[in-house]
Amino acid sequence: MTEAATVPLLDVAGVSKTFHVSGKGRLRALDGVDLRLGHGETLGLVGESGCGKSTLARVLLMLERPDQGHVRFEGTDPFALRGKELLRWRRRVQMVFQDPFASLNARLCAEDIVAEPWRTHRDLVPAKERGKRVADLLEMVGLRAGDARRYPQEFSGGQRQRLGIARALALEPDVIVCDEPVSALDLSVQAQVLNLLTDLQARLGVSYVFISHDLSVVRHVADRVSVMYLGKIVETGPTRQVFDRPRHPYTAALMSAAPVLDVTSGVRRERILLKGEVPSPLDPPSGCRFRTRCWQAQDVCAQDVPPLEPADGEPLHAAACHFPLQEVTAGA
């Protein structure tokens, strides 16, 4: 895994997305989201349920069109592409889904599932070579070539997720969006799938947008982390800096809730218990959206939206807070 390149593979700037909810008004699922993804890099995307992570993933996959802002893939706007150019672009961004059973067609065997993308992208793998290519992909993700004629229901959960990864790799993508890819798996199987993703990245140079609510998983796989709250990125930076020195109070609260596995290390965390409930995205607070639950909130927090700005001496670590934390609150 590498540092983000000067020219990012993926550049998202000011992206907003609003949905109309019948009888309830407008739901602003994304509000001015910025993020960058480098070649061969893993970006972890964390936050509570309903914060906009999956909506952002759908925008990256062009399943949703943003209302404002732009998405650039190596400088190209994929939403401006048409015809064959758009078809070629779709090869470059693929997805691994949360549920390894629901995302696979139970009526297709493993061979047909992996080869299905080639029915659309016919020029990628010649028909006479597809059987060999399927076998190679199955073995690449830790399955056997002889599993090609088995159906999804004949595999375990971890094996089904490996099959989903093989399908995503079939189009030789540059980016794979992983939406909670291990949350439905047992812990031991989670580790196997995470190690597989890491090995594939080292071998193929693929980049990941890794969406998860499990902070221990994100710390293990991500080079950088972006933290979302009610449709906004509230903190972003290198994984170790964000985990060890969170600057935003919401990030600090998240980190304080993560278990410490090494009880002999002497590290003690002060648990931060947030007051109140997550506000409705249909009627978010003015100014800083976290202010109604923040112990540091002052009058300015209700009036002005805090910009996402880098910390002093840490240009890659930014937080959207008028009063960013100055000391370790939730170190690991």
Side-chain angles (χ1 to χ4, degrees):
M1 293 184 285
T2 64
E3 295 292 334
T6 303
V7 177
L9 176 62
L10 184 65
D11 183 20
V12 177
V15 164
S16 297
K17 180 63 183 179
T18 300
F19 297 97
H20 295 275
V21 181
S22 179
K24 295 185 177 181
R26 295 162 58 89
L27 188 155
R28 201 169 182 85
L30 300 175
D31 189 0
V33 170
D34 298 332
L35 62 82
R36 292 158 65 93
L37 179 69
H39 295 262
E41 182 184 43
T42 297
L43 174 67
L45 194 61
V46 302
E48 294 170 274
S49 296
C51 70
K53 303 188 300 294
S54 293
T55 300
L56 180 56
R58 292 179 62 83
V59 169
L60 299 181
L61 290 158
M62 288 186 64
L63 299 177
E64 300 285 354
R65 178 180 288 272
D67 303 324
Q68 296 177 330
H70 71 250
V71 177
R72 295 288 185 269
F73 192 87
E74 292 187 325
T76 298
D77 178 4
F79 290 95
L81 301 178
R82 298 291 184 272
K84 292 182 178 180
E85 288 186 343
L86 176 58
L87 188 63
R88 283 194 294 269
W89 179 86
R90 288 196 179 277
R91 298 178 184 175
R92 304 186 68 181
V93 182
Q94 294 297 302
M95 187 165 188
V96 174
F97 296 88
Q98 178 178 3
D99 190 332
F101 188 76
S103 62
L104 302 176
N105 189 336
R107 296 184 177 183
L108 298 181
C109 66
E111 180 177 18
D112 292 335
I113 288 172
V114 175
E116 188 174 21
W118 300 329
R119 297 178 184 176
T120 300
H121 303 270
R122 297 178 181 273
D123 61 327
L124 191 60
V125 179
K128 63 182 180 180
E129 298 178 10
R130 291 178 183 177
K132 174 65 165 58
R133 180 61 176 152
V134 167
D136 291 343
L137 285 169
L138 291 178
E139 292 178 349
M140 185 183 295
V141 299
L143 298 174
R144 300 172 303 174
D147 292 329
R149 302 309 301 174
R150 296 171 64 192
Y151 287 81
Q153 54 270 30
E154 298 179 79
F155 292 100
S156 67
Q159 288 174 326
R160 285 194 290 264
Q161 196 60 295
R162 291 173 184 268
L163 182 57
I165 294 170
R167 178 179 59 184
L169 292 174
L171 292 178
E172 301 175 5
D174 297 295
V175 177
I176 297 180
V177 178
C178 303
D179 190 1
E180 302 275 7
V182 298
S183 63
L185 306 176
D186 293 337
L187 285 177
S188 60
V189 180
Q190 285 187 18
Q192 295 171 16
V193 173
L194 292 174
N195 289 336
L196 170 63
L197 291 171
T198 301
D199 292 343
L200 290 171
Q201 186 174 63
R203 178 175 176 179
L204 304 175
V206 65
S207 300
Y208 297 130
V209 176
F210 195 96
I211 300 171
S212 180
H213 66 275
D214 190 326
L215 296 177
S216 62
V217 168
V218 171
R219 178 156 198 169
H220 177 69
V221 302
D223 298 297
R224 290 187 300 112
V225 178
S226 289
V227 182
M228 291 192 72
Y229 184 81
L230 280 182
K232 285 184 169 291
I233 302 290
V234 298
E235 185 160 0
T236 188
T239 300
R240 185 167 183 176
Q241 290 183 20
V242 173
F243 273 76
D244 292 354
R245 298 186 298 279
R247 303 299 306 279
H248 196 282
Y250 175 64
T251 307
L254 282 182
M255 301 307 171
S256 77
V260 177
L261 298 181
D262 185 4
V263 296
T264 65
S265 65
V267 174
R268 296 180 61 87
R269 293 181 180 177
E270 178 185 353
R271 180 66 189 274
I272 301 172
L273 299 177
L274 297 177
K275 60 185 180 180
E277 301 291 332
V278 180
S280 169
L282 290 166
D283 186 25
S286 61
C288 174
R289 294 188 172 187
F290 185 64
R291 67 176 175 80
T292 57
R293 305 173 74 194
C294 182
W295 64 94
Q296 297 210 136
Q298 299 184 30
D299 290 344
V300 67
C301 301
Q303 299 167 5
D304 300 328
V305 178
L308 187 65
E309 294 182 332
D312 293 338
E314 297 180 342
L316 300 179
H317 186 182
C321 183
H322 292 301
F323 305 100
L325 302 177
Q326 299 300 320
E327 60 185 32
V328 176
T329 304

